[in-house]
Amino acid sequence: MDFETRAIHEGQEPDPATGSVTVPIYQTSTYVQEEVGKHKGYDYSRVANPTRTALQACLASLEGAEHGVAFSSGLGATTTLMHLLNPGQRVVAVNDVYGGVYRMFKQVYEPKGYRFEWRSAAEFAAHVPGDTALVWVETPTNPLLNIVDIRAAAEAAHAAGAILVVDNTFATPFLQRPLELGADVVVHSTTKYLGGHSDVVGGFVATNDPTIAERLLFLQKSLGAVPGPFDAWLVLRGLKTLAVRMERHCENARRVAAFLDEHPAVERVLYPGLESHPDHELARSQMSDFGGMVSFLAQSEEDALSICRLTKLFALAESLGGVESLIELPARMTHASTADAPFAAPRELIRLSVGIESADDLVADLEAALVQAPASSRS
Ligand SMILES: *Cc1c(COP(=O)(O)O)cnc(C)c1O
């Protein structure tokens, strides 16, 4: 079955007890046993919950994966993945990652003796040292929207005997399926496009490797970073409209990027869908469209601050991937934790999460802010 059909039906038979068309929110912590040890596969909700089971089956299918494991947040998923490693082992990671992932690696795992090598997206597929256990890629990267070559990264990782993990949060499986390109593990913040309505925090990991899957299921119940039934249900509901939402996100982002690209108050637009983007061809070769995130450089940090203050439809907020448009300043907000890194986000960089409102309204909102910003930042 096609993606759109699986997004609505996979793992979601009508409820056998009542015929309920939507999977119920099994808001329970425990399950009655017929006799000691005899139950229907559910004994305690940290270990398993039917609403979570449905989400895991559906989202795994969308990633083209045999196995899916849901978590309480994207970082909960990342922490659990890091428990596949032992202190002393090396991680090679792309340097332009979500600020929270950078902070976790730098401030939580490095002090414990895990070793990290940071690389730019462009030089990512260079030789990976033989003692590397895990290669961590985010593509498109956040917030600079560079593209990492997933096929080349998989080859380099596998040559070193490492596993390749791809954070697919920005693209979603509708636009990019890393497992089909050679990755071993896909990780998500379902808080973003998969939930899609800015009303839930969640994480997810998908894999086709049975050994990794078994270990992750063990770690899911043993570490306990699990989503509650209602959160699992919200993400499951979000998935049903993922395809139509992503089409509109991409269409609107294309319009916004083209508008900004022509605007004299904008220094440079970072959007892989623009032919002028250095990784445009690479993006085309591994994504079916370019996503809903657009970053751009204003002429100064002051201008950038003004623009963020002046937009009305684009709400000033962290996060991304919801139906509503958001604007933010990575250097001061989502990526403040990379401020001391050599690859800190430029201070005049603005990141947009382009929502699914009317593209005309979105462009008009940006136009009004861009016209007023220079005057407002001088006053
Ligand atoms: C938000 C985000 C995360 C972290 O996910 P949470 O759900 O906030 O814990 C990880 N990676 C990317 C690319 C993100 O955007």
Side-chain angles (χ1 to χ4, degrees):
M1 277 188 296
D2 287 337
F3 186 98
E4 292 81 350
T5 311
R6 282 181 285 129
I8 292 167
H9 295 289
E10 190 74 36
Q12 301 170 70
E13 295 299 315
D15 179 49
T18 62
S20 168
V21 166
T22 51
V23 172
I25 303 165
Y26 285 90
Q27 195 71 41
T28 187
S29 61
T30 191
Y31 308 81
V32 84
Q33 307 196 2
E34 276 171 50
E35 50 188 85
V36 174
K38 189 164 175 221
H39 55 75
K40 299 182 165 72
Y42 297 96
D43 55 357
Y44 186 60
S45 276
R46 173 162 36 71
V47 182
N49 175 281
T51 315
R52 190 174 98 202
T53 303
L55 169 62
Q56 291 179 161
C58 184
L59 189 44
S61 162
L62 298 185
E63 281 290 358
E66 288 291 320
H67 313 278
V69 192
F71 294 97
S72 54
S73 67
L75 290 187
T78 304
T79 308
T80 307
L81 271 174
M82 284 303 289
H83 278 79
L84 295 174
L85 273 54
N86 292 312
Q89 287 189 303
R90 184 198 300 274
V91 175
V92 171
V94 68
N95 62 17
D96 180 20
V97 288
Y98 175 70
V101 170
Y102 176 75
R103 182 178 57 205
M104 179 196 292
F105 287 178
K106 189 82 192 161
Q107 296 186 40
V108 179
Y109 286 98
E110 206 168 73
K112 289 185 192 299
Y114 297 76
R115 291 176 299 146
F116 293 89
E117 180 188 322
W118 299 94
R119 290 185 179 178
S120 71
E123 66 201 25
F124 199 80
H127 172 73
V128 169
D131 59 347
T132 305
L134 191 152
V135 174
W136 185 279
V137 161
E138 192 178 305
T139 183
T141 65
N142 178 9
L144 295 175
L145 298 169
N146 291 312
I147 306 294
V148 179
D149 186 333
I150 297 174
R151 294 181 186 89
E155 246 173 65
H158 295 157
I163 61 167
L164 174 64
V165 177
V166 175
D167 183 334
N168 203 27
T169 299
F170 269 34
T172 83
F174 184 65
L175 303 179
Q176 169 175 280
R177 284 182 295 280
L179 298 178
E180 292 171 6
L181 300 166
D184 303 287
V185 174
V186 170
V187 60
H188 276 286
S189 168
T190 59
T191 313
K192 316 296 169 51
Y193 289 104
L194 301 179
H197 296 74
S198 304
D199 53 11
V200 64
V201 170
F204 194 77
V205 174
T207 184
N208 277 319
D209 183 319
T211 314
I212 294 175
E214 195 184 329
R215 184 72 186 159
L216 282 173
L217 284 166
F218 170 79
L219 290 170
Q220 181 194 38
K221 75 174 177 192
S222 303
L223 296 172
V226 293
F230 184 48
D231 288 355
W233 185 88
L234 282 169
V235 178
L236 193 59
R237 184 177 66 164
L239 293 182
K240 293 176 199 284
T241 55
L242 179 64
V244 285
R245 283 187 291 109
M246 288 315 291
E247 282 172 3
R248 182 65 168 262
H249 279 296
C250 292
E251 205 179 296
N252 283 1
R254 215 183 327 277
R255 271 282 303 282
V256 163
F259 162 76
L260 293 172
D261 201 35
E262 295 285 308
H263 201 283
V266 173
E267 275 298 309
R268 192 149 63 89
V269 180
L270 311 176
Y271 180 63
L274 288 175
E275 274 175 36
S276 58
H277 188 286
D279 300 327
H280 178 67
E281 284 308 319
L282 175 59
R284 284 178 72 100
S285 79
Q286 61 186 27
M287 301 171 74
S288 61
D289 206 338
F290 305 102
M293 299 301 293
V294 177
S295 293
F296 67 99
L297 294 161
Q299 283 170 352
S300 66
E301 184 182 12
E302 291 66 38
D303 278 7
L305 283 164
S306 298
I307 293 165
C308 288
R309 195 176 56 237
L310 289 164
T311 54
K312 296 196 167 69
L313 267 179
F314 281 88
L316 179 60
E318 302 199 357
S319 200
L320 60 109
V323 291
E324 62 284 297
S325 293
L326 302 178
I327 187 168
E328 69 121 1
L329 214 62
R332 305 265 286 255
M333 296 170 67
T334 50
H335 290 68
S337 65
T338 65
D340 58 344
F343 43 84
R347 303 194 66 83
E348 69 278 24
L349 182 78
I350 292 176
R351 191 188 76 180
L352 302 176
S353 174
V354 181
I356 63 170
E357 301 97 332
S358 141
D360 288 343
D361 289 339
L362 294 178
V363 165
D365 189 42
L366 288 169
E367 179 143 50
L370 286 168
V371 165
Q372 291 172 57
S376 138
S377 69
R378 272 195 303 274
S379 62

